[in-house]
Amino acid sequence: MTEHNTSGNASSTSTFITRRRFTAWCAALAGAGCAQQPIARAGFSAADLAHAELLRSRGLADTQAYALVESLVSEVGARPAGSAADTRAVNWAMANLKRLGLAQVRAEPVNMQVWQRGAAQARLVAPYPHPLVAAALGNSIGTPPGGLEAEVAYYESLDALKADTSDRARGRIVFIDQKTERTRDGRGYGLAVAARATGAVEAARRGAVAVAIRSIGTDRDRFAHTGAMRYDLQVPKVPAFAVSVPDADLIARLQARGQPLKLQFALDARVVSATSANVVAEVPGTDLADEIVLLGAHLDSWDLGHGALDDGAGVGIVCAAARLLQDAGQRPRRTVRLVLFANEENGFDGANAYAERYEGAKHQLVGESDFGAGRPWRLRTRVRDEALPLVAEIARMLAPLSIDHAGNEASPSPDANVLMRRRGWPAVELTQDGTGYFDVHHTENDTLDKVDAKALPQNVAAWAVTAWLAAQSPVAFGPLPR
């Protein structure tokens, strides 16, 4: 996952009224002793709700999601966009989606420019020599042959750098010591990640020769976190890298002593043309088959680690949910389309290619699983007001999974977010528990042992129920106002 927007905007008035009515409905049902009965409300038939309950029950018994994650991680491993491993991942996805019995399995080519990491090394040379654990940030330029050496200009945060109007950074390596707060919904990451994304531009504006950052992560391990950064064409490009959290602590302690710090580092990187693919499969619809409910994840990963949480878990979850819909004995009204996106990590090429290819298509709902393997705890949507009563009914079906309804201000995972913003397609967010996600995010530590197999079935159940009811809705969820 490249970026997770975690705004906590309050629900609109119409959403609040819907939630209040929903609460009253639940209380009435419970008081009548029939809370478990599939009573139709807000337009869903009793049969649709009964099938949603069946999907929920079967999803909680799922073992397919973990089997898929294990297979992807073991047989392919890290799969950076445009690499040979990326090609293997596309072939893996094609073969497994066919094995699962899904229809219209296909690879839709995506042309792109991809960044490739070379060797990296960094060390403090003064006031005391220390090797540092470092990783280049995605899209960073390399250093000149032999690397760079310069004094460090320390800033405790990106805001501190942006507020600096002096020449202190000129000719130096800017170090941004931006800390990441551990939160359940990833809000701490959302507040910190700008240091990675824009730190090089802000440093270069002040004449710096490079930027180094504290890894955007919540761990205490000696692993560096990579991730995408972006240049501004109006500002000189400077190399950018992250150091591990313990090494950032070392730099902070030494600079507090008041002695000048000097840092030496070398990075190698290049950009090449490549072709990957979005891998697509479908559960065909019936009378509204030309309308799409999209379940997404991204197939690529960073080159560090094995991409088990980011986003092997999401791949396993949505593939298993689609398979569950396929095998449950009833076809949905709308087509449920599974999309495994290319190059989410460093460019959103797959999402942008999908938006171009399907510009005129009708999408009832788009959603993506890209926040690890934690249990979902919150449902948020971005739909038309007319659809909010239907969302309240979906929320009622998700409530036994300990998922709360939290309004109509969804910020879905990145590829789905691109589609929502570019095309005005309605979106859904099933927020997973990300308390520990940023301990391993974008590091060598993103391996299969970090995936909790017991948490995946709840994800599968939630996505299957949500997709089924969205596909059955008598009300269109969009388009959204633009």
Side-chain angles (χ1 to χ4, degrees):
M1 180 181 74
T2 298
E3 181 175 353
H4 189 75
N5 188 326
T6 55
S7 62
N9 296 338
S11 305
S12 65
T13 301
S14 61
T15 306
F16 173 76
I17 293 171
T18 300
R19 291 181 67 192
R20 184 172 63 189
R21 290 175 179 167
F22 166 63
T23 302
W25 291 339
C26 292
L29 288 172
C34 56
Q36 299 305 313
Q37 298 300 314
I39 296 175
R41 293 193 181 273
F44 286 120
S45 71
D48 287 341
L49 294 176
H51 193 65
E53 289 187 344
L54 174 67
L55 292 168
R56 188 177 66 204
S57 176
R58 290 187 178 180
L60 288 173
D62 175 78
T63 59
Q64 187 67 236
Y66 184 79
L68 287 164
V69 181
E70 188 278 334
S71 174
L72 177 60
V73 168
S74 300
E75 297 166 31
V76 180
R79 44 205 180 274
S83 66
D86 185 25
T87 300
R88 293 198 303 275
V90 169
N91 293 335
W92 174 93
M94 293 279 288
N96 277 276
L97 295 180
K98 291 176 182 177
R99 177 182 61 81
L100 294 175
L102 299 177
Q104 301 295 321
V105 177
R106 57 198 185 270
E108 297 177 347
V110 177
N111 297 320
M112 62 187 78
Q113 296 292 111
V114 296
W115 177 85
Q116 295 181 339
R117 183 190 312 277
Q121 59 180 17
R123 60 192 300 266
L124 278 174
V125 293
Y128 308 104
H130 286 280
L132 304 175
V133 175
L137 299 180
N139 298 314
S140 174
I141 63 170
T143 57
L148 289 172
E149 182 177 315
E151 285 191 7
V152 172
Y154 174 92
Y155 296 87
E156 66 179 9
S157 66
L158 178 64
D159 285 344
L161 173 63
K162 292 167 72 173
D164 186 8
T165 58
S166 74
D167 282 339
R168 184 162 68 95
R170 187 168 302 279
R172 292 180 167 86
I173 298 169
V174 161
F175 183 78
I176 304 173
D177 199 20
Q178 184 81 49
K179 295 178 175 63
T180 306
E181 179 187 0
R182 185 184 299 279
T183 57
R184 187 185 189 191
D185 63 358
R187 182 175 60 254
Y189 173 82
L191 294 171
V193 72
R196 187 189 76 207
T198 66
V201 172
E202 295 299 334
R205 284 190 175 125
R206 291 158 179 80
V209 298
V211 68
I213 67 168
R214 170 187 288 264
S215 281
I216 307 301
T218 51
D219 60 299
R220 307 300 306 172
D221 298 316
R222 205 159 179 230
F223 292 99
H225 296 237
T226 190
M229 51 81 65
R230 297 287 181 265
Y231 288 115
D232 184 331
L233 295 180
Q234 306 304 314
V235 177
K237 295 181 179 181
V238 298
F241 66 100
V243 302
S244 73
V245 169
D247 286 334
D249 290 340
L250 170 66
I251 291 170
R253 291 197 306 272
L254 291 178
Q255 71 82 32
R257 297 184 175 197
Q259 296 173 280
L261 274 67
K262 185 173 288 189
L263 194 151
Q264 181 186 81
F265 76 103
L267 305 178
D268 185 22
R270 64 174 184 160
V271 175
V272 300
S273 297
T275 300
S276 186
N278 290 333
V279 182
V280 182
E282 294 177 351
V283 179
T286 55
D287 60 309
L288 297 176
D290 63 328
E291 299 183 19
I292 306 299
V293 174
L294 188 153
L295 298 183
H298 67 85
L299 190 57
D300 67 305
S301 76
W302 283 105
D303 51 324
L304 307 181
H306 291 157
L309 287 179
D310 189 13
D311 186 28
V315 169
I317 288 164
V318 297
C319 289
R323 197 268 181 91
L324 179 58
L325 289 164
Q326 173 71 32
D327 292 352
Q330 291 193 44
R331 287 178 61 187
R333 297 183 67 196
R334 295 173 177 85
T335 295
V336 176
R337 178 177 291 167
L338 173 70
V339 184
L340 304 181
F341 291 100
N343 199 24
E344 181 273 344
E345 293 293 5
N346 205 16
F348 305 116
D349 293 286
N352 284 310
Y354 185 92
E356 293 295 328
R357 182 183 291 267
Y358 295 102
E359 179 178 2
K362 298 177 183 177
H363 281 68
Q364 168 77 344
L365 197 65
V366 298
E368 182 179 20
S369 179
D370 181 20
F371 198 42
R375 288 178 170 84
W377 58 276
R378 180 175 68 181
L379 166 71
R380 298 200 299 178
T381 55
R382 192 75 69 92
V383 301
R384 296 191 308 157
D385 287 348
E386 293 88 337
L388 290 174
L390 282 300
V391 171
E393 281 296 280
I394 294 173
R396 184 174 75 86
M397 299 304 296
L398 296 178
L401 300 174
S402 300
I403 297 174
D404 296 328
H405 187 195
N408 199 36
E409 296 294 329
S411 180
S413 290
D415 295 301
N417 211 308
V418 168
L419 302 181
M420 179 183 74
R421 296 184 184 282
R422 284 198 58 180
R423 293 288 175 244
W425 293 336
V428 63
E429 171 193 342
L430 289 174
T431 317
Q432 294 166 279
D433 188 334
T435 303
Y437 180 65
F438 295 104
D439 287 350
V440 302
H441 180 251
H442 295 179
T443 74
E444 295 180 3
N445 224 8
D446 186 0
T447 50
L448 185 64
D449 57 299
K450 311 308 184 303
V451 175
D452 180 2
K454 294 180 181 178
L456 297 183
Q458 187 207 23
N459 283 270
V460 174
W463 279 109
V465 167
T466 301
W468 167 256
L469 291 177
Q472 299 305 102
S473 172
V475 175
F477 285 6
L480 301 176
R482 301 175 66 187

